[in-house]
Amino acid sequence: DKVGLNKVFYIVLFGSFSLLTKNEPFGESITNGLTIGEEVLFEPTMVKRMEVAKATQRSACLRIDLEKFRNMSLSSMGGNVRFKNDQM
Protein backbone atom coordinates (compact mmCIF):
# COMPACT_ATOMS: atom_id res chain seq x y z
CA ASP A 1 0.00 0.00 0.00
CA LYS A 2 1.87 3.06 -1.23
CA VAL A 3 -0.41 5.46 0.65
CA GLY A 4 1.13 4.43 3.97
CA LEU A 5 4.71 5.01 2.86
CA ASN A 6 4.59 8.77 3.30
CA LYS A 7 2.45 8.99 6.43
CA VAL A 8 5.37 10.01 8.62
CA PHE A 9 6.99 13.27 9.59
CA TYR A 10 10.26 14.13 11.30
CA ILE A 11 11.46 16.50 14.01
CA VAL A 12 15.09 17.60 13.69
CA LEU A 13 16.86 16.92 17.01
CA PHE A 14 20.20 18.41 15.99
CA GLY A 15 22.10 19.26 12.86
CA SER A 16 20.83 20.63 9.58
CA PHE A 17 18.91 19.31 6.57
CA SER A 18 18.31 20.72 3.10
CA LEU A 19 15.35 19.97 0.88
CA LEU A 20 16.11 18.86 -2.67
CA THR A 21 13.86 18.51 -5.67
CA LYS A 22 15.34 17.05 -8.85
CA ASN A 23 18.72 17.25 -7.05
CA GLU A 24 18.41 21.05 -6.75
CA PRO A 25 18.22 22.59 -3.25
CA PHE A 26 15.31 24.85 -2.39
CA GLY A 27 14.10 26.67 0.69
CA GLU A 28 16.02 27.37 3.86
CA SER A 29 17.98 24.92 6.01
CA ILE A 30 15.90 22.88 8.43
CA THR A 31 17.56 22.92 11.84
CA ASN A 32 16.97 21.99 15.50
CA GLY A 33 13.32 21.75 16.51
CA LEU A 34 11.89 22.24 13.02
CA THR A 35 9.85 19.60 11.21
CA ILE A 36 10.17 17.82 7.89
CA GLY A 37 7.11 16.41 6.16
CA GLU A 38 4.53 17.89 8.53
CA GLU A 39 2.26 18.47 5.52
CA VAL A 40 0.76 15.01 6.16
CA LEU A 41 -0.92 16.50 9.23
CA PHE A 42 -2.85 18.98 7.08
CA GLU A 43 -3.14 17.18 3.73
CA PRO A 44 -4.49 13.69 4.53
CA THR A 45 -4.81 12.75 0.85
CA MET A 46 -1.09 13.29 0.16
CA VAL A 47 0.29 10.13 -1.41
CA LYS A 48 3.77 10.94 -2.70
CA ARG A 49 6.33 13.54 -1.72
CA MET A 50 8.21 15.30 -4.49
CA GLU A 51 11.25 16.35 -2.48
CA VAL A 52 14.01 14.71 -0.48
CA ALA A 53 15.63 15.88 2.77
CA LYS A 54 19.40 15.46 2.97
CA ALA A 55 21.59 16.03 6.03
CA THR A 56 24.15 18.75 5.40
CA GLN A 57 26.14 17.93 8.53
CA ARG A 58 26.06 15.37 11.33
CA SER A 59 22.35 15.30 12.20
CA ALA A 60 19.58 13.32 13.83
CA CYS A 61 15.84 13.42 13.54
CA LEU A 62 12.90 11.73 15.24
CA ARG A 63 10.55 9.85 12.90
CA ILE A 64 6.88 10.01 13.91
CA ASP A 65 4.25 7.75 12.37
CA LEU A 66 1.13 9.82 11.71
CA GLU A 67 -1.36 7.12 12.74
CA LYS A 68 0.41 6.46 16.03
CA PHE A 69 0.69 10.20 16.64
CA ARG A 70 -3.07 10.64 16.16
CA ASN A 71 -3.85 7.63 18.37
CA MET A 72 -1.85 9.11 21.26
CA SER A 73 -4.79 11.37 22.09
CA LEU A 74 -7.05 8.31 22.40
CA SER A 75 -4.75 6.50 24.81
CA SER A 76 -5.34 6.47 28.54
CA MET A 77 -1.56 6.79 28.92
CA GLY A 78 -1.28 10.27 27.48
CA GLY A 79 -2.57 12.87 25.11
CA ASN A 80 -5.90 14.57 25.61
CA VAL A 81 -7.23 12.14 28.25
CA ARG A 82 -4.29 12.67 30.55
CA PHE A 83 -4.34 16.44 30.01
CA LYS A 84 -8.04 16.60 30.89
CA ASN A 85 -7.44 14.54 34.05
CA ASP A 86 -4.59 16.85 35.10
CA GLN A 87 -6.87 19.87 34.75
CA MET A 88 -9.47 18.51 37.21
Side-chain angles (χ1 to χ4, degrees), residues 8-9 35 37-44 46 66 69-70:
V8 296
F9 63 99
T35 57
E38 72 282 357
E39 296 87 0
V40 298
L41 295 169
F42 312 107
E43 299 176 31
M46 180 181 281
L66 183 59
F69 178 72
R70 286 185 175 149

Side-chain angles (χ1 to χ4, degrees), residues 72-75 77-84:
M72 285 174 61
S73 66
L74 304 175
S75 169
M77 297 298 288
N80 291 337
V81 173
R82 185 176 174 101
F83 180 75
K84 287 178 186 174

Side-chain angles (χ1 to χ4, degrees), residues 1-72:
D1 180 19
K2 290 184 179 183
V3 173
L5 293 177
N6 292 304
K7 300 301 182 184
V8 296
F9 63 99
Y10 304 85
I11 298 174
V12 178
L13 300 176
F14 68 88
S16 179
F17 291 82
S18 289
L19 292 178
L20 304 171
T21 183
K22 297 182 182 177
N23 292 325
E24 294 294 324
F26 72 95
E28 298 179 14
S29 289
I30 303 166
T31 59
N32 304 352
L34 298 178
T35 57
I36 301 170
E38 72 282 357
E39 296 87 0
V40 298
L41 295 169
F42 312 107
E43 299 176 31
T45 59
M46 180 181 281
V47 176
K48 185 175 181 181
R49 300 200 54 84
M50 302 305 291
E51 64 273 355
V52 174
K54 180 179 179 182
T56 56
Q57 61 182 328
R58 186 180 164 138
S59 305
C61 59
L62 175 65
R63 177 185 172 178
I64 300 175
D65 180 277
L66 183 59
E67 187 173 335
K68 291 178 183 176
F69 178 72
R70 286 185 175 149
N71 288 337
M72 285 174 61

